[in-house]
């Protein structure tokens, strides 16, 4: 039973570029949440997808957008990258409203230069 | 504003010793509180989850307590091991009107276990 997987593991981009991160949820899960974690900080909630729609959103600008596919996998897109976007991006999956059973992926380390 | 504060920010202990990490929260309406262990550069892994009616829960050498009246939680680690070196994050879930939950994360306590 595969857990939450994310790709790529590491990524280096230049300021102003665009990036797409990918997440496959744990088998049986239909809800995907994305978090940004800066070095030494706790994760910050970006948004959550359920039934291919954005169900909740944190305090992140419109440069951050996402998508969920019919197979429940998800993408996080960030446009016009800033140096401050450098962080570990975490994906977590759960089933429906049962976020207490939320499982995290290993994360994607994004570095913006 | 929902907030979760953890203390201490960092902690160094000797292998075999016990330690206690603290979490204070102002989250409403409270749904549940969980403790996660996060190794450097990896995703958080759940240790314990407690609802309003639970005041203690154990997972091996980890024991979490919850006082819903004072809005405080603690994570006690017994007989620490080198592999316990990690960041420990307190997360509080609040119920949303219309369904769903909103998670508020603490900034974590960085624990280092030394020989």
């Amino acid at each position: 039973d595969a857990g939450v997987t994310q790709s790529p593991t590491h990524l280096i981009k230049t300021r102003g570029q665009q990036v797409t991160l990918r997440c496959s949820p744990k088998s049986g899960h239909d809800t995907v949440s994305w978090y940004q974690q800066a070095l030494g900080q706790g994760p910050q909630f970006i948004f959550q997808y359920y039934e291919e729609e954005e169900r909740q959103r944190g305090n992140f600008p419109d440069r951050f957008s996402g998508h969920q596919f019919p197979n429940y996998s998800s993408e996080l897109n960030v446009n016009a990258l800033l140096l401050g976007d450098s962080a570990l991006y975490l994906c977590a999956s759960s089933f429906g409203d049962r976020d207490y059973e939320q499982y995290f992926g290993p994360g994607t380390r994004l570095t913006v230069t | 504003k929902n907030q979760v504060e953890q203390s201490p920010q960092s902690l160094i202990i000797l292998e075999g010793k016990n330690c206690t990490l603290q979490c204070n929260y102002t989250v409403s309406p409270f749904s549940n509180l969980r403790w996660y262990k996060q190794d450097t550069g990896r995703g958080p892994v759940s240790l314990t989850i407690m609802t309003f009616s639970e005041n203690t829960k154990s997972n091996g050498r980890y024991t979490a307590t919850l006082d819903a009246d004072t809005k405080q939680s603690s994570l006690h680690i017994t007989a620490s091991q080198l592999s316990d070196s990690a960041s420990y994050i307190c997360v509080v879930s609040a119920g949303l009107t219309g369904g769903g939950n909103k998670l508020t994360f603490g900034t974590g306590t960085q624990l280092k276990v030394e020989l």
Side-chain angles (χ1 to χ4, degrees):
Chain A
D1 178 22
V4 181
T5 60
Q6 293 185 243
S7 63
T9 305
H10 297 89
L11 199 55
I12 300 175
K13 288 287 189 178
T14 303
R15 191 171 44 184
Q17 286 187 316
Q18 178 265 345
V19 68
T20 297
L21 311 181
R22 295 176 176 82
C23 170
S24 291
K26 178 179 170 63
S27 178
H29 285 182
D30 58 4
T31 302
V32 173
S33 302
W34 286 93
Y35 297 86
Q36 179 194 67
Q37 187 176 23
L39 199 62
Q41 301 295 316
Q44 298 292 317
F45 176 69
I46 302 175
F47 43 53
Q48 181 182 80
Y49 276 85
Y50 173 69
E51 292 187 340
E52 302 180 51
E53 291 190 357
E54 186 181 289
R55 181 162 67 175
Q56 294 182 46
R57 189 178 182 91
N59 296 322
F60 279 79
D62 292 343
R63 298 188 297 109
F64 290 77
S65 63
H67 188 77
Q68 185 178 36
F69 299 93
N71 66 353
Y72 308 121
S73 66
S74 177
E75 288 182 348
L76 164 65
N77 301 293
V78 186
N79 295 322
L81 285 167
L82 304 174
L83 296 179
D85 294 332
S86 295
L88 180 68
Y89 288 85
L90 296 165
C91 166
S93 74
S94 55
F95 178 74
D97 284 341
R98 296 164 58 178
D99 72 317
Y100 52 86
E101 295 178 351
Q102 196 173 63
Y103 289 81
F104 283 85
T108 293
R109 171 67 65 185
L110 172 65
T111 301
V112 182
T113 62
Chain B
K1 179 182 179 183
N2 290 340
Q3 287 187 316
V4 176
E5 296 182 351
Q6 294 187 241
S7 63
Q9 184 175 0
S10 62
L11 184 62
I12 301 175
I13 62 173
L14 295 177
E15 186 182 29
K17 298 296 185 182
N18 304 335
C19 67
T20 300
L21 314 180
Q22 301 290 343
C23 173
N24 296 337
Y25 62 91
T26 54
V27 173
S28 181
F30 177 87
S31 178
N32 60 71
L33 183 148
R34 41 332 252 282
W35 284 91
Y36 284 90
K37 177 186 179 185
Q38 185 176 23
D39 293 314
T40 302
R42 306 301 302 272
V45 175
S46 179
L47 296 175
T48 63
I49 301 171
M50 291 181 291
T51 60
F52 185 87
S53 60
E54 297 175 296
N55 55 25
T56 187
K57 182 162 283 189
S58 293
N59 178 2
R61 294 181 296 103
Y62 301 101
T63 299
T65 65
L66 173 64
D67 186 332
D69 292 330
T70 62
K71 298 186 177 181
Q72 295 179 327
S73 176
S74 66
L75 179 69
H76 186 73
I77 304 175
T78 304
S80 61
Q81 301 175 358
L82 296 177
S83 59
D84 292 332
S85 297
S87 178
Y88 291 83
I89 303 175
C90 175
V91 183
V92 183
S93 177
L96 295 175
T97 303
N101 296 283
K102 179 178 181 180
L103 302 182
T104 302
F105 286 73
T107 56
T109 292
Q110 188 67 44
L111 174 65
K112 184 175 183 181
V113 180
E114 295 182 336
L115 290 171

